[in-house]
Amino acid sequence: MSTDEPSQSTEAHSHEHHEVEGPGYPTPAAMRTESEREKTAFVMGLRVGTDVDEPDFVGVVDVDPESETYSELIDTVEMPNKGDELHHFGWNTCSSSCHADGLVRDHLIVPGQRSSRIHIIDASDPRSPTIEKVIEPEEVFEHDLSAPHTVHCVPEGKIVISMLGNADGELPGGFLQLDQDDFSIDGHWEIDRGDMEMNYDYWYQPRHGVMLSTEWAAPETYYPGFDLDDVEAGKYGDSIHVWDWETKEHQQTLTFGEEGLIPLEIRMPHNPEETEGYVGAALSSNILRFWEAEDGRWEWEKVIDIEDREHPDWDMPVPGLVTDILLSLDDQYMFFSNWLHGDVRMYDISDTGNPRLVDQCWVGGNFAERQSVGGHDVRGAPQMLQLSRDGRRLYWTTSLFSSWDNQFYPEIGEQGSLMMKADVYPEEGRMELDEEFVVDFGDAPGGPARAHEIRWPGGDCTSDVWQ
């Protein structure tokens, strides 16, 4: 159920007060305190934009310190085609369906960002996953959608995937819905998309009937790489969108302007009672807080501002480029990465409107003094993040997107990227780089690869939503 190696005692304890047993945990606190330590991690491995003419893969990394293969890539599931650019992925079901009988969290939904191909992977054995089904791009294009991104399981027996473009890689994007039983395509999730055109990430709070989504750009804009002229031409996002979860209709747009250029990852508290959250604006290098006001409208404010820094090799000040953000399961801490600067930050968000910086870890990037760890050169900088369920270990990978990597950190395409971790001490509000844990995807079977998103068997703080 909710550990790498499920036990009957854990399952019974997690649901002992429910009439039915579903996947996941009944509360965020239960996941945080009752789950076992992570033993394996699923990590995307990309070959797009490298010299390796092979398919992407889903890698299995051993994260059990008691194992003889600790911090090694112990298995890979290669995709059947080349050029997918695997990016983000998710589960067939999660804690939002905790009270639904008969569901099991045992399949990964693995989309290809460039190909629009969607892979269904049987992960019932977390150390030896296998491909079960492939949804070909043509099936997706029939619904005039492309470029799948965020995957969330939702309580109604469905899976919803944010789609960043239409069938031609242009705007508008939308949301694709799959059925949990046979992974067939139902069609669009949204009934009325209103003025939403750009799409990227999303989060939902079913108890309050709300979903919020963010913006990147049209696939045809970001696929080739980053061009500042495209920002000036308005081709990148600066807004988030509020949706009615029940009617699936667009309700409101929050426009940030220059305070929130390229708002990417969005997170709401794990407590299902809350109606607020944060979004990381990559190019503006800000963290913006949003909340539902008493009149039912949504408002926003900037709560963290990362200053640009001068660099002798740059013709312009270097933005931090906030590329990933997450909240601990107890909603006490927020972590986010500054991919161009080279640091990952830890904030106390007990006072949600006044986040307090408590620690940061510098490694790689354009400004960190530490450019090697455990004998491995750090190619790139902290980017995709994943926190252990107990909040005591923060893992990250160093690749963003193939064409963007090749612009800003070309050595990633040549030699692969890395997976690293920091030990977190929540009672003290600090973290410390673990110099013993480095997984070098430059040594991946078949040649270097880009390591991207991380998922735990049994769920994690960036894929699970509670009702």
Side-chain angles (χ1 to χ4, degrees):
M1 189 187 65
S2 294
T3 59
D4 286 5
E5 296 178 6
S7 66
Q8 292 183 353
S9 60
T10 301
E11 290 191 19
H13 183 61
S14 296
H15 294 84
E16 62 186 5
H17 58 288
H18 296 306
E19 294 181 359
V20 297
E21 292 190 7
Y25 283 86
T27 66
M31 174 181 272
R32 180 170 56 87
T33 60
E34 297 173 7
S35 64
E36 296 180 1
R37 176 176 173 144
E38 66 282 359
K39 296 180 181 179
T40 55
F42 297 119
V43 185
M44 293 294 200
L46 288 73
R47 294 284 176 39
V48 173
T50 72
D51 292 334
V52 180
D53 186 28
E54 297 293 337
D56 299 344
F57 62 84
V58 174
V60 181
V61 173
D62 190 332
V63 293
D64 181 1
E66 302 300 319
S67 171
E68 294 182 355
T69 54
Y70 177 58
S71 75
E72 294 182 12
L73 186 62
I74 58 174
D75 191 22
T76 59
V77 182
E78 285 205 347
M79 301 301 102
N81 299 276
K82 300 176 183 178
D84 285 312
E85 183 123 8
L86 305 183
H87 195 57
H88 288 209
F89 61 138
W91 289 101
N92 62 313
T93 187
C94 70
S95 293
S96 67
S97 299
C98 177
H99 300 177
D101 195 12
L103 295 177
V104 179
R105 189 202 318 251
D106 58 359
H107 285 78
L108 287 166
I109 315 303
V110 182
Q113 237 293 308
R114 286 185 185 269
S115 68
S116 298
R117 188 176 286 110
I118 301 172
H119 310 85
I120 311 300
I121 293 184
D122 183 341
S124 52
D125 179 352
R127 297 180 72 91
S128 185
T130 58
I131 295 178
E132 181 173 308
K133 177 179 178 177
V134 177
I135 301 173
E136 294 297 341
E138 293 74 19
E139 300 176 64
V140 176
F141 297 156
E142 287 180 6
H143 302 277
D144 199 22
L145 291 170
S146 69
H149 190 266
T150 299
V151 177
H152 275 303
C153 44
V154 304
E156 296 79 19
K158 304 296 180 181
I159 299 159
V160 177
I161 307 174
S162 62
M163 310 293 290
L164 277 54
N166 64 17
D168 297 319
E170 302 169 346
L171 298 177
F175 297 90
L176 189 71
Q177 182 169 284
L178 307 183
D179 187 87
Q180 282 178 339
D181 289 332
D182 59 5
F183 306 107
S184 59
I185 296 178
D186 289 340
H188 282 247
W189 170 85
E190 74 278 12
I191 299 299
D192 178 4
R193 64 175 179 83
D195 62 3
M196 187 281 280
E197 290 200 334
M198 296 182 191
N199 205 0
Y200 185 71
D201 192 27
Y202 77 96
W203 197 272
Y204 68 100
Q205 288 286 53
R207 187 172 295 187
H208 294 280
V210 67
M211 182 179 88
L212 290 99
S213 63
T214 65
E215 298 185 335
W216 192 7
E220 64 177 2
T221 298
Y222 64 80
Y223 276 174
F226 179 71
D227 187 337
L228 194 58
D229 290 341
D230 288 336
V231 178
E232 297 174 354
K235 294 184 179 182
Y236 278 94
D238 67 352
S239 304
I240 62 174
H241 301 274
V242 183
W243 303 79
D244 186 306
W245 183 250
E246 300 299 329
T247 67
K248 304 179 181 179
E249 295 175 313
H250 184 275
Q251 296 290 305
Q252 185 182 351
T253 298
L254 300 182
T255 301
F256 307 134
E258 292 188 0
E259 292 281 25
L261 292 172
I262 313 185
L264 296 182
E265 305 295 335
I266 189 168
R267 303 287 181 256
M268 298 182 76
H270 302 287
N271 179 356
E273 292 285 355
E274 299 294 337
T275 52
E276 63 177 320
Y278 303 94
V279 61
L283 188 59
S284 296
S285 299
N286 296 332
I287 300 295
L288 306 168
R289 173 179 170 258
F290 53 86
W291 69 94
E292 186 179 26
E294 292 184 0
D295 63 359
R297 300 288 289 174
W298 289 73
E299 300 179 2
W300 66 276
E301 64 180 346
K302 180 176 67 175
V303 291
I304 300 173
D305 192 359
I306 308 301
E307 293 187 4
D308 296 350
R309 299 182 61 171
E310 299 289 339
H311 192 285
D313 296 335
W314 283 63
D315 296 331
M316 57 176 281
V318 183
L321 209 73
V322 178
T323 52
D324 197 16
I325 175 176
L326 62 78
L327 306 185
S328 59
L329 281 170
D330 60 3
D331 296 328
Q332 181 179 356
Y333 291 108
M334 171 172 58
F335 300 83
F336 66 84
S337 52
N338 288 307
W339 189 60
L340 290 181
H341 282 184
D343 65 311
V344 57
R345 296 191 173 202
M346 177 180 182
Y347 280 78
D348 186 328
I349 55 171
S350 300
D351 180 353
T352 58
N354 295 282
R356 179 173 61 89
L357 177 64
V358 293
D359 207 356
Q360 62 193 131
C361 187
W362 288 90
V363 56
N366 288 283
F367 297 94
E369 292 184 1
R370 182 185 294 275
Q371 294 293 333
S372 65
V373 176
H376 299 262
D377 292 337
V378 179
R379 301 177 291 274
Q383 205 285 102
M384 289 307 299
L385 308 176
Q386 190 55 266
L387 186 66
S388 63
R389 291 181 284 257
D390 62 7
R392 297 186 177 277
R393 292 164 298 283
L394 181 71
Y395 299 77
W396 63 82
T397 56
T398 63
S399 167
L400 175 61
F401 193 74
S402 62
S403 52
W404 293 44
D405 287 354
N406 292 346
Q407 281 181 268
F408 299 107
Y409 297 113
E411 63 274 18
I412 293 178
E414 299 165 358
Q415 303 172 53
S417 66
L418 285 79
M419 177 180 177
M420 293 178 282
K421 76 178 267 282
D423 292 314
V424 180
Y425 303 89
E427 298 86 357
E428 305 171 33
R430 69 180 182 90
M431 55 184 174
E432 182 178 326
L433 180 68
D434 180 355
E435 299 189 34
E436 302 300 319
F437 183 91
V438 180
V439 184
D440 194 333
F441 276 67
D443 298 329
R450 308 175 193 274
H452 197 65
E453 194 174 37
I454 304 167
R455 289 262 172 258
W456 304 134
D460 48 66
C461 64
T462 58
S463 64
D464 276 60
V465 175
W466 280 265
Q467 287 200 81

